[in-house]
Amino acid sequence: FLMVLVAVLLDALRKPGGSRGLFLFALVTGVLPLFHTHIFFAAGLLWIGAVFASRSRLLFGLGVLAALVATPVVLWQATLFSRAGFLSLAPGWMASDGLFGWSFFWIKNLGVFGPLAVLAVTRGYRRERSSTILLALPAVILFALANIIQFQPYRWDNFKFFLVAWLLLLPRTVAEMMRWRFVGARTLTWGLVLVMSLTTLSDLATHLRFRVAHPVYTGADRAVARRLDETLPYGAVVLARTDVVHNHPLTLT
């Protein structure tokens, strides 16, 4: 949904009269908290970026509509996640050793994509200001907030914001690399793509091993879930300590 929304908003920036389906996308954005809070947050920032980039009253009005639809949903969800410790300050996210350690952490994790993205945003702003603002503004805000605020008790979950920021910066970065016309540009481009792809492939291999060693639900967990589902009456309230086990068998029922 997020990437389709990007395409629709980019189309709206190029056509001041508006793009077909914008009203529907505003409504869907408003109900996104029911499905995926991280994507809702990113979609909201996209609408703000589109308004800044276009100064369009239409986009502003549709953004307000999305906010009005989302407000009761967010307020209702806030009552469900209001316990202490759900939101907390966590400067540096999972990095340590102060500013130097945080800088090295992101140099190591972003690799060549980091400087490529900075170059792409800088040069893209000069060529295509509106589309660069639309993509870069939400990405920078998400990256900054996820490095300051812990949005869920499980620390790794902030990664979802970084993933969205990467997805938003990726089109601009690819467009910049495609513009290179100097000697050896094609070789350099494919070399960089290969380096970044190797890190992704190694991560996929690690994840496949992780799934075998650490399944989300074991056979025993599924057996407990089936037994609870068959035994308990409708509306039963079950007390369980789920702050220790992230994927508790009760969630299957």
Side-chain angles (χ1 to χ4, degrees):
F1 173 81
L2 192 70
M3 301 318 292
V4 175
L5 178 62
V6 166
V8 169
L9 290 176
L10 281 172
D11 190 47
L13 294 181
R14 297 188 184 103
K15 300 174 183 176
S19 175
R20 296 174 64 183
L22 276 174
F23 179 78
L24 177 61
F25 276 90
L27 291 178
V28 175
T29 300
V31 298
L32 267 179
L34 293 171
F35 302 97
H36 204 288
T37 307
H38 300 81
I39 298 300
F40 163 70
F41 201 76
L45 289 173
L46 273 172
W47 281 101
I48 294 173
V51 171
F52 268 100
S54 66
R55 308 292 181 182
S56 166
R57 292 182 180 180
L58 172 64
L59 290 177
F60 176 78
L62 290 171
V64 171
L65 172 65
L68 290 174
V69 174
T71 297
V73 180
V74 172
L75 290 176
W76 169 67
Q77 287 187 329
T79 64
L80 303 177
F81 303 111
S82 58
R83 69 179 177 85
F86 199 86
L87 281 173
S88 59
L89 285 175
W93 188 45
M94 299 182 77
S96 55
D97 300 326
L99 182 61
F100 178 79
W102 177 83
S103 302
F104 181 71
F105 174 86
W106 281 114
I107 290 171
K108 180 176 65 174
N109 279 284
L110 288 176
V112 295
F113 181 79
L116 281 175
V118 172
L119 177 67
V121 170
T122 304
R123 291 166 64 91
Y125 185 77
R126 297 171 187 164
R127 296 194 198 99
E128 302 172 29
R129 180 171 298 186
S130 58
S131 62
T132 302
I133 290 174
L134 175 69
L135 293 167
L137 183 64
V140 170
I141 292 174
L142 286 171
F143 182 81
L145 288 178
N147 269 290
I148 298 171
I149 301 172
Q150 181 61 42
F151 286 90
Q152 291 172 263
Y154 186 49
R155 292 195 73 188
W156 179 251
D157 276 347
N158 266 25
F159 171 75
K160 297 168 185 175
F161 285 118
F162 296 120
L163 178 61
V164 171
W166 173 76
L167 283 171
L168 292 174
L169 290 173
L170 191 58
R172 186 76 272 164
T173 305
V174 172
E176 172 59 29
M177 294 170 73
M178 293 292 288
R179 287 179 177 271
W180 291 348
R181 294 291 183 269
F182 51 82
V183 177
R186 180 167 294 184
T187 302
L188 176 61
T189 298
W190 282 109
L192 291 172
V193 170
L194 175 63
V195 169
M196 291 186 280
S197 300
L198 286 173
T199 59
T200 304
L201 291 172
S202 68
D203 189 57
L204 287 173
T206 302
H207 182 66
L208 288 173
R209 292 198 302 272
F210 181 85
R211 287 184 62 191
V212 174
H214 305 282
V216 176
Y217 295 109
T218 64
D221 289 338
R222 293 192 292 272
V224 170
R226 282 195 297 270
R227 190 163 66 250
L228 288 171
D229 211 27
E230 294 167 357
T231 307
L232 295 175
Y234 177 79
V237 177
V238 182
L239 181 65
R241 187 176 179 188
T242 56
D243 60 328
V244 177
V245 183
H246 190 59
N247 296 304
H248 197 279
L250 278 171
T251 58
L252 281 172
T253 65

